[in-house]
């Protein structure tokens, strides 16, 4: 696991502090303040992507519980959403008792923050092969958090490990299939794009500051900008085009979700995710080329962002998402690109 600065708090500890200070209570998506919600996700991501991963999961869990009519989480509790379905890691859920209690058996992969969270929403499969969602307290004997399942340097601080469930008690949330079928599934998916954008924008600000600093120092002496300065400014222009485009799409997506909270937002969310991913990819290419190795080696914040962001963006399904977006666009009656 990648080491953090000596004495610094872990992402799990920072999340707990944010929850305790009532700073993780974001507006729910689709309720008129989706852009405000995404701005807060982007702000956290600009600081630390591993923290953003846990923060986004906690806030997404609250949104899911609210949408499916579950009780409000206890004060001070911290939540994850562990619904990735690895081919070699699958949870089985018993039939629910009258109070909704289920028993969980099996292995769950990609469990971000497993050692630091108090609760998680987990996807599981019942005897009929149907997907259900369950809320689980993680401090019970039937939940065993491993130290296995993550080898990447990027996002290592999320501690996204495998968790074994052995007769763990959970409570089914909603009906079978509700997790994916609800409108908020794609609202949350689009929120991830705000995290990618926030990190990319932070890197863009590093480049902008470097260009300003270079210009201020050059003002003391004669001459026109040298070739290196012009190249740096060209990269800054590239970064601006990428980030401005992504910001415009995210603004439009948030407005659409607030105007149509009950409609299927898959097309809107996929477009936002793919545009944000493309913008972040351009930024990751431009900033190191413009600034060289020094900030990557000497600035811990920049080094973490550059290492973490490519890994975080692999939550995108790349060409598969592009194909899904293309299918949705193909079915529209009117052009999706009016000016």
């Amino acid at each position: 696991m990648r080491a953090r600065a000596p004495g610094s708090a872990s992402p799990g500890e920072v999340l707990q502090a944010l929850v305790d200070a009532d700073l993780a209570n974001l507006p729910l998506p689709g309720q008129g303040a989706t852009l405000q919600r995404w701005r807060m996700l982007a702000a956290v991501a600009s600081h630390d992507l591993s923290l953003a991963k846990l923060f986004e999961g906690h806030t997404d869990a609250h949104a899911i519980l609210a949408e499916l009519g579950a009780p409000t989480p206890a004060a001070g509790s911290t939540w994850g959403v562990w619904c990735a379905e690895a081919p070699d890691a699958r949870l089985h859920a018993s039939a629910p008792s009258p109070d909704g209690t289920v028993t969980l058996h099996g292995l769950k992969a990609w469990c971000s923050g497993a050692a630091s969270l108090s609760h998680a929403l987990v996807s599981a499969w019942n005897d009929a092969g149907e997907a259900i969602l369950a809320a689980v307290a993680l401090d019970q004997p039937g939940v065993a958090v491993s130290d296995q399942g993550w080898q990447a340097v990027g996002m290592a601080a999320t501690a996204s490990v495998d968790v074994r469930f052995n007769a763990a008690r959970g409570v089914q949330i909603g009906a079978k299939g509700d997790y994916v079928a609800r409108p908020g599934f794609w609202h949350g998916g689009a929120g991830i794009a705000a995290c990618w954008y926030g990190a990319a924008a932070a890197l863009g600000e590093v480049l902008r500051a470097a260009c300003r600093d270079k210009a201020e120092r050059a003002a003391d002496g004669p001459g026109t900008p040298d070739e290196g300065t012009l190249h740096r400014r060209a990269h800054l222009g590239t970064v601006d085009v990428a980030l401005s485009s992504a910001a415009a799409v995210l603004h439009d997506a948030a407005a659409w979700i607030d105007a149509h909270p009950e409609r299927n937002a898959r097309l809107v969310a996929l477009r936002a995710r793919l545009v944000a991913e493309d913008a972040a990819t351009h930024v990751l290419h431009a900033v190191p080329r413009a600034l060289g190795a020094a900030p990557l080696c000497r600035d811990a914040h920049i080094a973490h962002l550059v290492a973490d962001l490519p890994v975080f963006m692999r939550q995108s399904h790349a060409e598969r998402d592009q194909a899904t977006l293309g299918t949705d666009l193909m079915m529209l009656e009117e052009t999706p690109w009016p000016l």
Side-chain angles (χ1 to χ4, degrees):
M1 183 173 295
R2 171 163 56 82
R4 302 184 77 78
S8 64
S10 70
E13 292 170 329
V14 178
L15 175 63
Q16 186 67 65
L18 291 172
V19 169
D20 292 342
D22 198 29
L23 296 175
N25 186 23
L26 304 190
L28 295 175
Q31 302 299 308
T34 298
L35 184 60
Q36 180 184 346
R37 176 185 180 88
W38 290 358
R39 283 174 172 161
M40 296 175 78
L41 291 175
V44 174
S46 72
H47 171 71
D48 184 336
L49 276 172
S50 290
L51 171 61
K53 173 67 174 174
L54 302 191
F55 184 80
E56 187 279 330
H58 172 83
T59 57
D60 190 38
H62 277 236
I64 294 167
L65 291 166
E67 186 175 9
L68 296 183
T72 302
S77 60
T78 54
W79 288 72
V81 180
W82 302 341
C83 293
E85 293 292 337
D88 57 347
R90 188 165 180 154
L91 281 188
H92 174 263
S94 67
S97 63
D99 65 355
T101 299
V102 295
T103 302
L104 299 169
H105 290 271
L107 186 68
K108 198 70 178 169
W110 314 106
C111 299
S112 297
S116 59
L117 301 176
S118 65
H119 294 75
L121 293 176
V122 299
S123 58
W125 301 84
N126 62 22
D127 291 335
E130 300 162 327
I132 65 108
L133 186 70
V136 186
L138 301 176
D139 61 352
Q140 58 180 296
V143 178
V145 178
S146 77
D147 60 358
Q148 304 297 310
W150 194 266
Q151 298 298 323
V153 173
M155 300 297 288
T158 61
S160 299
V161 295
D162 298 341
V163 176
R164 175 73 62 179
F165 293 81
N166 184 16
R169 180 183 179 275
V171 177
Q172 183 169 327
I173 304 298
K176 61 187 180 183
D178 273 0
Y179 169 68
V180 173
R182 64 196 170 84
F185 177 80
W186 287 109
H187 302 167
I192 296 289
C195 296
W196 303 340
Y197 176 85
L203 289 171
E205 279 296 329
V206 170
L207 176 55
R208 193 169 76 93
C211 289
R212 288 167 62 94
D213 180 63
K214 180 74 172 177
E216 289 171 1
R217 286 189 281 112
D220 295 332
T224 58
D226 59 29
E227 187 176 32
T229 297
L230 290 175
H231 286 171
R232 194 176 293 113
R233 292 179 186 177
H235 284 303
L236 179 59
T238 298
V239 165
D240 172 70
V241 171
L243 291 175
S244 297
S245 299
V249 171
L250 287 168
H251 274 248
D252 285 349
W256 190 95
I257 287 170
D258 283 336
H260 310 93
E262 299 301 322
R263 287 177 58 180
N264 186 339
R266 185 172 76 171
L267 186 154
V268 170
L270 285 176
R271 178 186 286 151
R273 286 168 63 95
L274 289 164
V275 169
E277 180 189 4
D278 187 61
T281 299
H282 276 82
V283 172
L284 284 168
H285 176 78
V287 171
R289 290 176 68 87
L291 300 182
L296 301 179
C297 300
R298 293 179 175 272
D299 188 309
H301 180 225
I302 296 172
H304 278 255
L305 287 177
V306 171
D308 290 344
L309 184 52
V311 178
F312 197 170
M313 287 196 301
R314 293 291 29 97
Q315 278 192 253
S316 165
H317 298 122
E319 284 77 11
R320 185 168 59 177
D321 281 351
Q322 291 173 336
T324 302
L325 176 60
T327 299
D328 288 349
L329 291 167
M330 188 177 64
M331 302 304 293
L332 296 178
E333 295 295 331
E334 298 180 353
T335 178
W337 311 300
L339 185 60

